Amino acid sequence: MGVLGVLFSLLLIILSALDYVFFFLPSPIDPKPSSFQRALKFEGPLEINSNLSRAKRLFEGQIVGPESIAIDSTGTLYTGLYDGRIVKLEGDKVIDVVQTGKQPCGTLELEQTCGRPLGMRFDRYGINLIVADAYYGLLEVNPRARTVNTLVPSAPGINGKPFRFVNDLDIARDGTIYFTDSSTKWQRCQVPHIMFEGEATGRLMAYHPKTGDMEVLMEGLHFANGVQLSPEGDHVLVAETTMSRIMKYYIKGEHEGKSEVFVQNLPGVPDNIRLSSRGGYWVGISMTRTETTHLIEQYPRARNFLAKVFSLTSLASLLDKPGHGFIVELDENGQIIKSLHDPTGNVVPDVSEVHDEGDTLWLGSVKAKYIAKLELNN
Protein backbone atom coordinates (compact mmCIF):
# COMPACT_ATOMS: atom_id res chain seq x y z
CA MET A 1 0.00 0.00 0.00
CA GLY A 2 1.40 3.39 -0.99
CA VAL A 3 1.54 6.55 1.10
CA LEU A 4 -1.81 7.75 -0.25
CA GLY A 5 -3.33 4.39 0.62
CA VAL A 6 -2.04 4.64 4.20
CA LEU A 7 -3.37 8.18 4.55
CA PHE A 8 -6.75 7.20 3.15
CA SER A 9 -6.89 4.22 5.51
CA LEU A 10 -6.20 6.51 8.47
CA LEU A 11 -8.95 8.84 7.25
CA LEU A 12 -11.43 5.96 7.18
CA ILE A 13 -10.45 4.97 10.71
CA ILE A 14 -11.10 8.55 11.82
CA LEU A 15 -14.47 8.56 10.06
CA SER A 16 -15.32 5.27 11.78
CA ALA A 17 -14.58 6.91 15.13
CA LEU A 18 -16.68 9.95 14.22
CA ASP A 19 -19.61 7.64 13.58
CA TYR A 20 -19.63 6.84 17.28
CA VAL A 21 -19.66 10.57 18.06
CA PHE A 22 -22.64 11.05 15.75
CA PHE A 23 -24.31 7.88 17.01
CA PHE A 24 -27.77 9.44 17.32
CA LEU A 25 -27.72 10.99 13.86
CA PRO A 26 -29.88 8.73 11.66
CA SER A 27 -28.27 6.99 8.68
CA PRO A 28 -30.15 5.95 5.52
CA ILE A 29 -28.22 2.67 5.37
CA ASP A 30 -27.08 -0.12 7.67
CA PRO A 31 -23.61 -1.01 6.33
CA LYS A 32 -22.47 -4.62 6.53
CA PRO A 33 -18.93 -5.93 7.09
CA SER A 34 -17.19 -7.08 3.92
CA SER A 35 -15.29 -10.29 3.35
CA PHE A 36 -13.61 -8.99 0.20
CA GLN A 37 -10.18 -10.17 -0.76
CA ARG A 38 -7.97 -7.94 -2.85
CA ALA A 39 -8.99 -7.87 -6.50
CA LEU A 40 -7.14 -9.96 -9.05
CA LYS A 41 -4.22 -8.09 -10.56
CA PHE A 42 -4.14 -6.97 -14.17
CA GLU A 43 -1.75 -9.68 -15.28
CA GLY A 44 -1.86 -12.83 -17.41
CA PRO A 45 -5.17 -12.89 -19.32
CA LEU A 46 -6.13 -9.71 -17.45
CA GLU A 47 -3.07 -7.82 -18.70
CA ILE A 48 -4.01 -4.30 -19.78
CA ASN A 49 -4.31 -3.66 -23.52
CA SER A 50 -6.06 -1.06 -25.67
CA ASN A 51 -8.27 -3.39 -27.74
CA LEU A 52 -11.54 -1.99 -26.39
CA SER A 53 -10.56 1.54 -27.38
CA ARG A 54 -10.96 0.49 -31.05
CA ALA A 55 -14.72 0.27 -30.59
CA LYS A 56 -16.99 2.67 -32.47
CA ARG A 57 -19.73 4.64 -30.75
CA LEU A 58 -23.05 4.37 -32.59
CA PHE A 59 -26.27 6.35 -32.11
CA GLU A 60 -24.33 8.73 -29.89
CA GLY A 61 -26.57 11.38 -28.38
CA GLN A 62 -29.74 9.62 -29.56
CA ILE A 63 -30.04 7.11 -26.72
CA VAL A 64 -29.21 6.95 -23.01
CA GLY A 65 -28.47 3.83 -20.99
CA PRO A 66 -28.72 0.88 -23.43
CA GLU A 67 -28.24 -1.70 -20.64
CA SER A 68 -29.00 -4.88 -22.58
CA ILE A 69 -29.04 -5.88 -26.24
CA ALA A 70 -31.17 -8.39 -28.15
CA ILE A 71 -30.85 -9.12 -31.87
CA ASP A 72 -33.63 -10.66 -33.96
CA SER A 73 -33.31 -13.08 -36.88
CA THR A 74 -32.91 -10.20 -39.35
CA GLY A 75 -30.01 -8.68 -37.43
CA THR A 76 -32.03 -5.79 -36.00
CA LEU A 77 -30.88 -4.58 -32.58
CA TYR A 78 -33.24 -3.92 -29.69
CA THR A 79 -32.38 -2.27 -26.41
CA GLY A 80 -34.01 -0.68 -23.35
CA LEU A 81 -33.27 2.90 -22.34
CA TYR A 82 -33.06 5.08 -19.26
CA ASP A 83 -36.39 6.77 -20.03
CA GLY A 84 -38.33 3.47 -20.03
CA ARG A 85 -38.49 3.01 -23.79
CA ILE A 86 -37.62 -0.14 -25.67
CA VAL A 87 -36.33 0.77 -29.11
CA LYS A 88 -35.02 -0.92 -32.23
CA LEU A 89 -31.99 0.37 -34.09
CA GLU A 90 -32.33 0.21 -37.86
CA GLY A 91 -29.70 1.80 -40.07
CA ASP A 92 -29.08 5.15 -38.40
CA LYS A 93 -32.58 5.40 -36.94
CA VAL A 94 -33.85 4.86 -33.39
CA ILE A 95 -37.42 3.59 -33.62
CA ASP A 96 -39.71 3.41 -30.59
CA VAL A 97 -41.26 0.01 -29.91
CA VAL A 98 -42.97 0.37 -26.51
CA GLN A 99 -42.86 2.33 -23.26
CA THR A 100 -42.70 -0.03 -20.29
CA GLY A 101 -44.14 2.51 -17.84
CA LYS A 102 -46.75 5.22 -18.00
CA GLN A 103 -44.62 7.91 -19.66
CA PRO A 104 -41.03 8.59 -20.77
CA CYS A 105 -38.64 9.47 -17.96
CA GLY A 106 -37.28 12.94 -17.40
CA THR A 107 -35.32 12.43 -14.19
CA LEU A 108 -34.02 9.53 -12.12
CA GLU A 109 -36.62 10.21 -9.45
CA LEU A 110 -39.40 9.36 -11.93
CA GLU A 111 -38.06 5.91 -12.83
CA GLN A 112 -40.76 4.15 -10.81
CA THR A 113 -43.37 5.78 -13.07
CA CYS A 114 -41.73 5.35 -16.46
CA GLY A 115 -40.09 1.97 -15.86
CA ARG A 116 -36.52 0.89 -16.52
CA PRO A 117 -36.04 -2.04 -18.94
CA LEU A 118 -32.81 -3.87 -18.10
CA GLY A 119 -31.98 -7.45 -19.18
CA MET A 120 -33.80 -8.69 -22.28
CA ARG A 121 -33.87 -11.80 -24.49
CA PHE A 122 -35.99 -13.04 -27.34
CA ASP A 123 -38.13 -16.02 -26.40
CA ARG A 124 -37.32 -19.48 -27.76
CA TYR A 125 -39.49 -18.79 -30.83
CA GLY A 126 -37.69 -15.53 -31.60
CA ILE A 127 -40.98 -13.62 -31.63
CA ASN A 128 -41.41 -11.84 -28.30
CA LEU A 129 -38.90 -9.99 -26.18
CA ILE A 130 -38.88 -11.06 -22.55
CA VAL A 131 -37.77 -8.05 -20.53
CA ALA A 132 -36.68 -7.58 -16.92
CA ASP A 133 -38.02 -4.19 -15.92
CA ALA A 134 -36.59 -2.94 -12.64
CA TYR A 135 -39.97 -1.63 -11.44
CA TYR A 136 -42.63 -3.51 -13.39
CA GLY A 137 -41.31 -7.09 -13.23
CA LEU A 138 -41.05 -9.58 -16.09
CA LEU A 139 -42.63 -8.28 -19.29
CA GLU A 140 -43.43 -9.84 -22.65
CA VAL A 141 -43.05 -7.38 -25.51
CA ASN A 142 -44.31 -8.05 -29.03
CA PRO A 143 -42.18 -5.76 -31.25
CA ARG A 144 -44.45 -6.10 -34.28
CA ALA A 145 -47.71 -5.40 -32.47
CA ARG A 146 -45.95 -2.99 -30.08
CA THR A 147 -47.72 -4.45 -27.07
CA VAL A 148 -46.61 -5.15 -23.51
CA ASN A 149 -47.90 -8.04 -21.42
CA THR A 150 -46.93 -8.48 -17.78
CA LEU A 151 -45.79 -12.03 -17.01
CA VAL A 152 -44.65 -11.48 -13.42
CA PRO A 153 -45.63 -8.20 -11.72
CA SER A 154 -43.43 -6.65 -9.04
CA ALA A 155 -46.15 -7.23 -6.45
CA PRO A 156 -47.10 -9.39 -4.67
CA GLY A 157 -43.76 -11.05 -5.43
CA ILE A 158 -43.03 -14.36 -3.73
CA ASN A 159 -42.93 -15.54 -0.10
CA GLY A 160 -44.39 -12.23 1.04
CA LYS A 161 -41.62 -10.16 -0.57
CA PRO A 162 -42.39 -7.99 -3.62
CA PHE A 163 -39.82 -7.72 -6.38
CA ARG A 164 -38.13 -4.37 -5.86
CA PHE A 165 -35.36 -4.51 -8.45
CA VAL A 166 -35.86 -7.06 -11.26
CA ASN A 167 -32.59 -7.01 -13.16
CA ASP A 168 -31.69 -9.73 -15.67
CA LEU A 169 -32.96 -13.02 -17.11
CA ASP A 170 -32.32 -16.01 -19.30
CA ILE A 171 -34.73 -18.49 -20.87
CA ALA A 172 -34.33 -22.27 -20.85
CA ARG A 173 -35.26 -24.58 -23.72
CA ASP A 174 -38.44 -25.61 -21.89
CA GLY A 175 -39.49 -21.96 -21.55
CA THR A 176 -38.54 -21.54 -17.88
CA ILE A 177 -37.39 -17.98 -17.19
CA TYR A 178 -34.58 -17.54 -14.68
CA PHE A 179 -34.36 -13.99 -13.36
CA THR A 180 -32.82 -11.91 -10.58
CA ASP A 181 -34.24 -9.51 -8.04
CA SER A 182 -31.22 -7.44 -6.97
CA SER A 183 -32.58 -6.46 -3.56
CA THR A 184 -35.72 -6.90 -1.48
CA LYS A 185 -34.90 -3.62 0.31
CA TRP A 186 -33.80 -1.09 -2.30
CA GLN A 187 -34.96 -0.15 -5.79
CA ARG A 188 -32.88 0.58 -8.89
CA CYS A 189 -32.94 4.32 -8.27
CA GLN A 190 -31.25 3.54 -4.93
CA VAL A 191 -28.24 1.63 -6.29
CA PRO A 192 -25.82 3.77 -4.19
CA HIS A 193 -27.64 2.53 -1.08
CA ILE A 194 -27.08 -1.09 -2.12
CA MET A 195 -23.42 -0.44 -2.92
CA PHE A 196 -22.57 1.41 0.30
CA GLU A 197 -24.66 -0.81 2.54
CA GLY A 198 -23.32 -4.09 1.14
CA GLU A 199 -26.60 -5.81 1.99
CA ALA A 200 -27.39 -9.31 0.79
CA THR A 201 -31.10 -9.70 0.04
CA GLY A 202 -30.84 -10.46 -3.68
CA ARG A 203 -32.54 -13.53 -5.15
CA LEU A 204 -32.47 -15.83 -8.16
CA MET A 205 -35.93 -17.03 -9.24
CA ALA A 206 -37.40 -19.47 -11.73
CA TYR A 207 -40.73 -18.69 -13.43
CA HIS A 208 -42.59 -21.45 -15.29
CA PRO A 209 -44.91 -19.79 -17.88
CA LYS A 210 -46.84 -22.99 -18.61
CA THR A 211 -48.10 -23.32 -15.03
CA GLY A 212 -47.56 -19.82 -13.69
CA ASP A 213 -45.52 -21.30 -10.83
CA MET A 214 -42.53 -19.50 -9.43
CA GLU A 215 -39.76 -20.57 -7.03
CA VAL A 216 -36.81 -19.02 -5.25
CA LEU A 217 -33.60 -20.84 -6.16
CA MET A 218 -31.06 -18.68 -4.32
CA GLU A 219 -31.40 -15.89 -1.80
CA GLY A 220 -29.04 -13.86 0.37
CA LEU A 221 -27.18 -12.67 -2.73
CA HIS A 222 -25.16 -9.45 -2.77
CA PHE A 223 -26.77 -7.33 -5.52
CA ALA A 224 -27.97 -10.22 -7.69
CA ASN A 225 -27.45 -9.13 -11.28
CA GLY A 226 -26.58 -10.85 -14.59
CA VAL A 227 -28.05 -14.27 -15.45
CA GLN A 228 -26.81 -16.84 -17.97
CA LEU A 229 -27.68 -20.49 -18.52
CA SER A 230 -24.91 -22.87 -19.50
CA PRO A 231 -25.02 -24.16 -23.11
CA GLU A 232 -25.98 -27.59 -21.76
CA GLY A 233 -28.73 -26.11 -19.59
CA ASP A 234 -27.56 -27.90 -16.45
CA HIS A 235 -26.65 -24.82 -14.44
CA VAL A 236 -27.21 -21.08 -14.34
CA LEU A 237 -24.70 -18.35 -13.55
CA VAL A 238 -25.63 -15.28 -11.53
CA ALA A 239 -23.46 -12.21 -10.90
CA GLU A 240 -23.11 -10.82 -7.39
CA THR A 241 -22.16 -7.26 -8.24
CA THR A 242 -21.09 -5.98 -4.82
CA MET A 243 -19.05 -9.12 -4.15
CA SER A 244 -17.27 -8.92 -7.52
CA ARG A 245 -17.98 -12.58 -8.14
CA ILE A 246 -20.19 -14.95 -10.12
CA MET A 247 -22.06 -17.89 -8.60
CA LYS A 248 -23.11 -21.15 -10.22
CA TYR A 249 -26.44 -22.81 -9.38
CA TYR A 250 -27.12 -26.36 -10.57
CA ILE A 251 -30.60 -26.92 -12.00
CA LYS A 252 -30.03 -30.48 -13.23
CA GLY A 253 -27.86 -33.49 -12.54
CA GLU A 254 -26.35 -34.93 -9.38
CA HIS A 255 -25.66 -31.47 -7.88
CA GLU A 256 -29.16 -30.13 -8.52
CA GLY A 257 -30.13 -27.43 -6.02
CA LYS A 258 -26.55 -26.75 -4.94
CA SER A 259 -24.47 -23.66 -5.60
CA GLU A 260 -20.79 -22.75 -5.67
CA VAL A 261 -18.50 -19.88 -6.60
CA PHE A 262 -17.76 -19.80 -10.34
CA VAL A 263 -15.24 -16.91 -10.31
CA GLN A 264 -14.35 -14.43 -7.58
CA ASN A 265 -12.28 -11.33 -6.76
CA LEU A 266 -12.75 -9.80 -10.19
CA PRO A 267 -10.91 -6.46 -10.58
CA GLY A 268 -14.22 -4.83 -11.41
CA VAL A 269 -17.89 -5.24 -10.53
CA PRO A 270 -19.71 -7.67 -12.86
CA ASP A 271 -22.97 -6.80 -14.57
CA ASN A 272 -24.61 -8.98 -17.24
CA ILE A 273 -23.22 -12.35 -18.35
CA ARG A 274 -23.65 -13.56 -21.92
CA LEU A 275 -22.41 -16.48 -24.02
CA SER A 276 -19.18 -16.19 -25.95
CA SER A 277 -19.06 -17.52 -29.50
CA ARG A 278 -15.94 -19.43 -28.42
CA GLY A 279 -17.92 -21.51 -25.93
CA GLY A 280 -17.44 -19.59 -22.68
CA TYR A 281 -18.93 -16.40 -21.29
CA TRP A 282 -18.47 -12.64 -21.58
CA VAL A 283 -18.87 -10.51 -18.46
CA GLY A 284 -19.61 -6.80 -18.65
CA ILE A 285 -17.69 -4.78 -16.05
CA SER A 286 -19.56 -1.68 -14.96
CA MET A 287 -16.88 -0.23 -12.66
CA THR A 288 -13.23 -0.95 -11.94
CA ARG A 289 -12.24 -1.77 -8.37
CA THR A 290 -9.50 0.49 -7.02
CA GLU A 291 -7.47 0.79 -3.84
CA THR A 292 -9.96 3.40 -2.67
CA THR A 293 -13.01 1.17 -3.19
CA HIS A 294 -11.17 -1.74 -1.54
CA LEU A 295 -10.50 0.35 1.57
CA ILE A 296 -14.06 1.66 1.78
CA GLU A 297 -15.34 -1.93 1.61
CA GLN A 298 -13.42 -2.75 4.80
CA TYR A 299 -14.84 0.03 7.00
CA PRO A 300 -18.63 -0.25 7.47
CA ARG A 301 -18.73 2.41 10.19
CA ALA A 302 -16.93 4.86 7.92
CA ARG A 303 -19.55 4.16 5.26
CA ASN A 304 -22.24 4.70 7.88
CA PHE A 305 -20.82 8.10 8.82
CA LEU A 306 -20.41 9.19 5.20
CA ALA A 307 -24.06 8.27 4.55
CA LYS A 308 -25.13 10.43 7.49
CA VAL A 309 -23.49 13.61 6.29
CA PHE A 310 -23.30 13.29 2.48
CA SER A 311 -25.58 12.34 -0.37
CA LEU A 312 -24.97 8.71 -1.31
CA THR A 313 -25.59 9.55 -4.96
CA SER A 314 -22.83 12.17 -4.83
CA LEU A 315 -20.45 9.80 -3.06
CA ALA A 316 -21.13 7.06 -5.61
CA SER A 317 -20.47 9.45 -8.51
CA LEU A 318 -17.08 10.32 -7.00
CA LEU A 319 -16.09 6.65 -6.93
CA ASP A 320 -17.62 5.86 -10.31
CA LYS A 321 -15.76 8.40 -12.41
CA PRO A 322 -15.15 7.51 -16.07
CA GLY A 323 -11.91 5.63 -16.25
CA HIS A 324 -10.48 2.24 -17.07
CA GLY A 325 -13.06 0.24 -19.04
CA PHE A 326 -12.74 -3.48 -19.63
CA ILE A 327 -14.62 -6.74 -20.24
CA VAL A 328 -13.70 -10.30 -19.31
CA GLU A 329 -14.10 -13.62 -21.13
CA LEU A 330 -14.39 -16.80 -19.04
CA ASP A 331 -14.16 -20.41 -20.12
CA GLU A 332 -16.73 -23.05 -19.15
CA ASN A 333 -14.94 -23.61 -15.83
CA GLY A 334 -14.84 -19.97 -14.76
CA GLN A 335 -11.19 -19.39 -15.69
CA ILE A 336 -10.40 -15.97 -17.12
CA ILE A 337 -9.05 -16.51 -20.64
CA LYS A 338 -9.21 -13.03 -22.14
CA SER A 339 -9.86 -9.39 -21.38
CA LEU A 340 -10.29 -6.34 -23.58
CA HIS A 341 -9.45 -2.90 -22.19
CA ASP A 342 -9.81 0.81 -22.76
CA PRO A 343 -7.35 1.97 -20.08
CA THR A 344 -8.10 5.65 -20.61
CA GLY A 345 -11.86 5.20 -20.74
CA ASN A 346 -12.03 7.70 -23.60
CA VAL A 347 -14.11 5.38 -25.79
CA VAL A 348 -15.66 2.76 -23.51
CA PRO A 349 -15.39 3.61 -19.78
CA ASP A 350 -17.89 0.98 -18.62
CA VAL A 351 -19.81 -2.00 -20.00
CA SER A 352 -23.06 -3.52 -18.73
CA GLU A 353 -23.31 -6.29 -21.34
CA VAL A 354 -21.37 -7.93 -24.17
CA HIS A 355 -23.43 -9.35 -27.03
CA ASP A 356 -21.22 -11.65 -29.10
CA GLU A 357 -22.01 -11.98 -32.81
CA GLY A 358 -18.81 -13.83 -33.74
CA ASP A 359 -16.69 -11.21 -35.47
CA THR A 360 -18.52 -8.37 -33.72
CA LEU A 361 -19.08 -7.46 -30.07
CA TRP A 362 -21.94 -5.12 -29.22
CA LEU A 363 -21.39 -3.36 -25.89
CA GLY A 364 -24.22 -2.05 -23.73
CA SER A 365 -23.95 0.44 -20.88
CA VAL A 366 -26.33 1.43 -18.11
CA LYS A 367 -25.45 5.11 -18.47
CA ALA A 368 -23.73 5.73 -21.82
CA LYS A 369 -25.32 7.82 -24.55
CA TYR A 370 -24.39 5.34 -27.28
CA ILE A 371 -23.95 1.67 -28.11
CA ALA A 372 -20.39 0.56 -28.81
CA LYS A 373 -19.49 -1.82 -31.62
CA LEU A 374 -16.16 -3.64 -31.71
CA GLU A 375 -15.07 -5.43 -34.89
CA LEU A 376 -12.70 -8.17 -33.71
CA ASN A 377 -11.02 -8.78 -37.06
CA ASN A 378 -10.06 -5.15 -37.68
Side-chain angles (χ1 to χ4, degrees):
M1 184 185 297
V3 175
L4 288 178
V6 172
L7 292 175
F8 190 73
S9 184
L10 289 173
L11 174 61
L12 290 175
I13 292 172
I14 293 171
L15 292 179
S16 296
L18 284 173
D19 189 44
Y20 285 100
V21 176
F22 289 86
F23 177 80
F24 293 103
L25 188 67
S27 173
I29 59 174
D30 180 21
K32 308 299 180 185
S34 169
S35 58
F36 269 113
Q37 299 177 31
R38 288 194 178 275
L40 295 173
K41 295 181 179 180
F42 287 115
E43 58 187 21
L46 281 169
E47 186 173 355
I48 295 174
N49 54 63
S50 58
N51 293 330
L52 205 59
S53 61
R54 295 188 291 104
K56 295 180 180 179
R57 293 182 172 186
L58 303 180
F59 305 97
E60 190 162 12
Q62 300 180 64
I63 57 178
V64 179
E67 154 92 2
S68 185
I69 299 163
I71 301 180
D72 68 15
S73 58
T74 68
T76 301
L77 272 67
Y78 292 79
T79 190
L81 304 179
Y82 159 79
D83 60 7
R85 289 180 298 151
I86 293 174
V87 299
K88 63 179 179 178
L89 309 175
E90 289 187 328
D92 59 353
K93 296 181 179 179
V94 178
I95 301 172
D96 288 356
V97 177
V98 296
Q99 174 77 42
T100 62
K102 299 176 182 178
Q103 60 186 16
C105 245
T107 64
L108 185 65
E109 290 73 23
L110 295 175
E111 277 194 355
Q112 300 95 319
T113 300
C114 56
R116 182 47 166 116
L118 298 175
M120 59 173 58
R121 313 258 190 170
F122 273 100
D123 63 19
R124 53 184 172 154
Y125 306 108
I127 298 175
N128 295 316
L129 270 174
I130 308 302
V131 179
D133 187 281
Y135 301 98
Y136 287 87
L138 281 184
L139 309 177
E140 181 182 65
V141 174
N142 185 315
R144 291 186 179 181
R146 298 187 178 185
T147 57
V148 181
N149 175 45
T150 301
L151 298 177
V152 178
S154 294
I158 187 171
N159 298 339
K161 296 179 181 178
F163 300 125
R164 293 185 62 78
F165 187 171
V166 178
N167 200 321
D168 195 25
L169 63 94
D170 200 1
I171 307 169
R173 295 185 186 96
D174 66 358
T176 300
I177 302 172
Y178 296 89
F179 70 101
T180 47
D181 184 26
S182 293
S183 171
T184 61
K185 183 176 181 180
W186 304 106
Q187 293 186 297
R188 204 211 79 89
C189 58
Q190 298 164 315
V191 163
H193 293 69
I194 304 176
M195 302 292 284
F196 274 88
E197 187 168 273
E199 56 94 37
T201 63
R203 298 175 289 177
L204 172 67
M205 268 76 58
Y207 169 67
H208 306 279
K210 292 180 180 178
T211 63
D213 294 335
M214 189 158 44
E215 55 186 325
V216 178
L217 304 181
M218 298 180 73
E219 52 189 343
L221 296 171
H222 295 76
F223 199 153
N225 201 329
V227 180
Q228 178 61 55
L229 284 155
S230 67
E232 298 78 17
D234 62 338
H235 64 264
V236 60
L237 302 179
V238 55
E240 280 191 283
T241 293
T242 50
M243 285 296 287
S244 293
R245 71 182 180 187
I246 295 173
M247 300 295 292
K248 174 196 283 190
Y249 179 87
Y250 291 93
I251 54 179
K252 293 180 182 178
E254 60 177 320
H255 301 298
E256 182 177 349
K258 296 180 180 180
S259 63
E260 63 187 36
V261 175
F262 188 64
V263 61
Q264 62 184 346
N265 296 326
L266 291 167
V269 294
D271 204 321
N272 288 351
I273 311 165
R274 294 296 185 265
L275 292 176
S276 162
S277 58
R278 299 202 297 173
Y281 307 93
W282 283 108
V283 182
I285 303 296
S286 61
M287 185 178 74
T288 306
R289 292 173 67 193
T290 64
E291 186 66 29
T292 299
T293 58
H294 177 72
L295 287 170
I296 287 177
E297 291 158 1
Q298 299 179 69
Y299 293 92
R301 293 207 69 91
R303 284 183 272 138
N304 197 53
F305 174 76
L306 289 169
K308 290 179 179 181
V309 297
F310 297 104
S311 159
L312 285 174
T313 301
S314 300
L315 289 171
S317 64
L318 289 174
L319 295 175
D320 192 19
K321 289 182 178 179
H324 184 167
F326 72 103
I327 58 178
V328 171
E329 186 178 12
L330 309 174
D331 67 13
E332 65 275 12
N333 298 311
Q335 297 298 310
I336 298 171
I337 58 174
K338 189 176 184 178
S339 62
L340 304 177
H341 300 251
D342 179 0
T344 65
N346 290 332
V347 180
V348 182
D350 63 273
V351 179
S352 60
E353 181 179 298
V354 182
H355 191 99
D356 189 334
E357 288 289 298
D359 294 336
T360 302
L361 298 182
W362 294 94
L363 310 173
S365 170
V366 74
K367 55 191 175 185
K369 298 180 180 180
Y370 56 84
I371 277 184
K373 179 183 180 182
L374 178 62
E375 299 285 357
L376 296 178
N377 293 334
N378 289 345

